Amino acid sequence: MTELVLVDPDATRLAAVGPVFRADHGARTATRPPSAGTDSLDDGLDGAAAVLIQLRVGGQAARNRDETWPLDYDCLGQETTGAGGLAKALRTVPLVLDIASRPAAARCQARGSSTSPTRSAS
């Protein structure tokens, strides 16, 4: 890896996550690729060899709704495998498909890399 680019449309989050990533990554590895941050998804994808997506459409408020409304129907509210997970997927999948369809991401996939969503821990 020659560079890591963090993308977030929220400049405040980007300013908070960038330094934490650099400190953590530097503590774990002997070599530290340069990292950058941008609020532009297309700029972040440009020249990428691989893409890792970590997102939560609707933020923590949506997570709270996803995990609580199913309980009213005696269903599991867990957001990854329960009814809440379906609600999360209905919001998230269209965005992931949009990202994967962008020309820079398509070039990344054509080189044999992948675009894969991951569950956000926060």
Side-chain angles (χ1 to χ4, degrees):
M1 177 175 14
T2 58
E3 181 182 30
L4 177 88
V5 179
L6 301 173
V7 179
D8 195 315
D10 184 313
T12 302
R13 281 192 310 246
L14 191 58
V17 171
V20 171
F21 164 77
R22 284 187 285 280
D24 181 63
H25 184 67
R28 293 174 186 266
T29 63
T31 59
R32 288 175 47 176
S35 62
T38 181
D39 63 358
S40 167
L41 178 57
D42 289 322
D43 288 349
L45 290 171
D46 189 40
V51 178
L52 174 68
I53 301 171
Q54 182 177 352
L55 51 81
R56 180 176 300 285
V57 178
Q60 294 299 332
R63 179 181 185 175
N64 183 55
R65 282 190 309 275
D66 291 347
E67 293 185 348
T68 56
W69 72 262
L71 301 176
D72 293 337
Y73 302 94
D74 295 322
C75 293
L76 181 65
Q78 210 273 339
E79 69 154 354
T80 56
T81 60
L86 176 60
K88 181 182 179 193
L90 291 172
R91 285 191 311 278
T92 305
V93 169
L95 180 58
V96 171
L97 291 174
D98 173 63
I99 293 168
S101 71
R102 291 174 184 246
R107 285 192 305 273
C108 173
Q109 290 173 347
R111 288 192 299 263
S113 299
S114 65
T115 302
S116 56
T118 61
R119 184 175 173 274
S120 174
S122 60

